[in-house]
Amino acid sequence: MNGHVKSMRFQQFMEPATTLLSLLLVMAVDSTRIVAASRNQQCGNSLQQTLKLTRLVQRESVNLIKTYKASQGEMAEHLCKASVNNVPDPNISGLEPSERLLSIYTHLQDFFPHFKRVYEQQTDLQSTTSPLLRELSHLNASSRNLADLITSFYRSLFPNLPVPEPAGGPTTLPPSQNVFQQKVYGCVVLKTFKELLSNVPRELRTLKSKVCRRIQIYTLF
């Protein structure tokens, strides 16, 4: 068999192999794109669910402040304007998306001991049938649900990063207060929490454009 014949047979052998390899490469790329699109969609859906609950809790906080003021008697409109120490900061911090998402979670956790203190104080000041106590309890529960949802979203996006344990609340609470100070404290806590919730949707929308899109890019490349 001369060299020319061998070369032709080799080419005949290589043509289907090359075609098969090209087909496999195309299938692999298509599969990767499908997986990327699926992960991107899951990221977007989880974030949208978190955003929806955030807005719901935010509306609850707005209504709760109205109920709170209506139940405090005279000078109720001036209660939230006072300055109170030891109330958590409503501003979200961090440079990276993971840090800012974690900041939302830790800020929510910081408010829970304050909700408990406000509820205890208002239990002494209100009747057992007061709608304020019911709304306070409901806001506390829905806020904890939001914190859990953000934790799950954080762990799905950043599985290798730790979620810190909630800080011990009692040391951050104010000392003994008289009735007027209790009324001021409760109003400031609720107002500051509402401010935090007002900041969260913007952060979540930024995460959607940065993190979810980044998942798709990383998967493709």
Side-chain angles (χ1 to χ4, degrees), residues 185-203:
Y185 167 70
C187 200
V188 172
V189 167
L190 297 179
K191 182 195 73 169
T192 309
F193 185 67
K194 180 178 72 69
E195 292 173 357
L196 170 64
L197 293 175
S198 298
N199 294 330
V200 173
R202 181 178 63 253
E203 295 295 330

Side-chain angles (χ1 to χ4, degrees), residues 9 18 38 47 67 69 73 87 118 126 130 177 189 195 210:
R9 289 187 175 179
T18 303
S38 177
L47 201 149
T67 303
K69 290 180 178 179
V87 175
V118 172
Q126 307 293 326
S130 170
Q177 300 168 309
V189 167
E195 292 173 357
K210 289 185 177 180

Side-chain angles (χ1 to χ4, degrees), residues 121-180:
Q121 291 176 344
Q122 291 301 315
T123 298
D124 295 334
L125 299 176
Q126 307 293 326
S127 67
T128 56
T129 59
S130 170
L132 175 61
L133 299 179
R134 183 178 65 254
E135 291 185 30
L136 278 169
S137 179
H138 192 274
L139 180 69
N140 180 62
S142 57
S143 300
R144 289 181 182 275
N145 289 337
L146 177 59
D148 290 341
L149 194 58
I150 289 176
T151 304
S152 298
F153 184 56
Y154 177 86
R155 284 174 171 157
S156 67
L157 289 178
F158 313 106
N160 297 323
L161 298 179
V163 178
E165 292 295 324
T171 57
T172 66
L173 297 176
S176 178
Q177 300 168 309
N178 60 40
V179 172
F180 180 74

